[in-house]
Amino acid sequence: MVLTGNQIDLFEASMPRLKAIAYRLLGSASDAEDAVQDTFLRWQSADVDRIEVPEAWLTKVLTNLCLNQLTSARARRETYVGQWLPEPLLAGDPMLGPADTVEQRESVSFAVLALMERLSPNERVVYVLREAFGYPHRRIAEILDITEASGQQIFHRAKKHIADGRTRTEIDEAAARRIVDEFLTAATSGRTEPLVRLLTADAVAIGDGGGGGKVPARTRPFEGAVAVAKFMRSLFTPNQAARNLLGGSAEIHVSYANGLPALVVTVDGRVIGVMCLEITADGIAAFRNQANPDKLERATRQWAATDHGEPALRIN
């Protein structure tokens, strides 16, 4: 079927929302792009004139495509070597979607995306559509072909799983930047004690190196303030081993990724790491570092297209 200009315009107007939904469901920007493209192909072959509510139809098709991907992704991640983390989205990326409420901002954070890996595919869909996009339970039930009562039960169960796994991290932006600056000062001091004071007692450091040894990454997280502090001290202390690991002189910029303060590490303009900091009222609770080069291609493209100013730190 050949689409009219209006029908193409209608799909293009829906694309930002569809991409934002798909990213939250899949944790991968590249997979989200593919899901939206497949949705367009189905839109192109459908009898569009007979579709009464195009937005609902597109969301249902996209959701079903994502459900299929989630089922296969769960099997792949069960054999993933080391820690799996989502593909990071830098500040300003339109795929981040709505960010007007605390719930919307948190739904795209590394912390919540990682926790959503524990949910069943249906729980993930219901949580994302309700919490991040405000879909009515009736509409979600129609998308999943379940009863409205079942959808509500699934949502409450999913929300409890997420709430049990984390504490709310919403913090004033100026305060967060101050803590990040204090962290960099402490991390480059060569001493462990200043770092320990900035961390929560149960702080963790998680790194995704690609699952197959694409870049060195510990297969298990560092846990506890002292262990994390020692690791961070070694990571930010210039030495030949660090230079060899980084592949050259690195620049570290303070930025935002997935709605949280982040350190973006670049070498010759290429992003080689995005470390998201989970900052709570009690201190820094988690460091989640994405170093898998396959998951940093989008970040590198966006980084090259934006003005990011002078680095906060150079490792020569």
Side-chain angles (χ1 to χ4, degrees), residues 130-182:
R130 179 64 180 171
E131 192 79 345
F133 294 89
Y135 275 60
H137 286 294
R138 175 184 54 79
R139 181 77 62 81
I140 296 172
E142 292 170 354
I143 290 171
L144 291 175
D145 292 323
I146 59 177
T147 66
E148 186 173 342
S150 294
Q152 290 175 332
Q153 290 176 351
I154 291 172
F155 173 69
H156 291 306
R157 187 165 62 244
K159 193 167 184 177
K160 184 177 186 305
H161 286 326
I162 297 295
D164 288 347
R166 67 185 304 274
T167 56
R168 183 151 286 179
T169 59
E170 189 82 346
I171 189 170
D172 176 75
E173 186 171 329
R177 176 56 193 258
R178 184 173 64 253
I179 292 172
V180 173
D181 290 341
E182 290 175 0

Side-chain angles (χ1 to χ4, degrees), residues 33-54:
E33 294 275 9
D34 291 343
V36 173
Q37 180 61 31
D38 287 345
T39 301
F40 177 72
L41 294 177
R42 283 158 176 74
W43 176 252
Q44 199 171 32
S45 61
D47 187 352
V48 175
D49 290 334
R50 299 186 64 181
I51 297 174
E52 295 181 5
V53 187

Side-chain angles (χ1 to χ4, degrees), residues 1-113:
M1 176 181 176
V2 178
L3 297 177
T4 67
N6 287 340
Q7 291 165 343
I8 293 174
D9 290 345
L10 193 154
F11 182 85
E12 289 181 346
S14 299
M15 279 180 63
R17 177 181 53 83
L18 295 175
K19 288 182 179 180
I21 291 173
Y23 172 74
R24 283 169 169 80
L25 291 177
L26 302 174
S28 165
S30 56
D31 288 348
E33 294 275 9
D34 291 343
V36 173
Q37 180 61 31
D38 287 345
T39 301
F40 177 72
L41 294 177
R42 283 158 176 74
W43 176 252
Q44 199 171 32
S45 61
D47 187 352
V48 175
D49 290 334
R50 299 186 64 181
I51 297 174
E52 295 181 5
V53 187
E55 178 188 337
W57 187 93
L58 291 169
T59 304
K60 186 179 180 73
V61 170
L62 175 82
T63 299
N64 286 328
L65 289 168
C66 288
L67 281 170
N68 291 337
Q69 285 203 43
L70 281 172
T71 301
S72 60
R74 285 170 74 89
R76 292 196 306 271
R77 288 167 194 170
E78 285 177 359
T79 60
Y80 197 85
V81 179
Q83 304 296 309
W84 179 92
L85 289 173
E87 181 177 348
L89 299 181
L90 300 183
D93 193 314
M95 199 176 281
L96 287 168
D100 297 326
T101 68
V102 173
E103 290 76 16
Q104 288 173 336
R105 291 189 290 273
E106 288 195 336
S107 71
V108 80
S109 70
F110 260 30
V112 170
L113 289 175

Side-chain angles (χ1 to χ4, degrees), residues 235-270:
L235 197 63
F236 286 88
T237 300
N239 56 64
Q240 189 58 47
R243 284 188 286 273
N244 292 340
L245 178 64
L246 294 170
S249 298
E251 294 183 343
I252 299 177
H253 293 259
V254 179
S255 186
Y256 272 78
N258 291 72
L260 292 178
L263 299 177
V264 179
V265 185
T266 65
V267 172
D268 297 328
R270 177 172 54 89

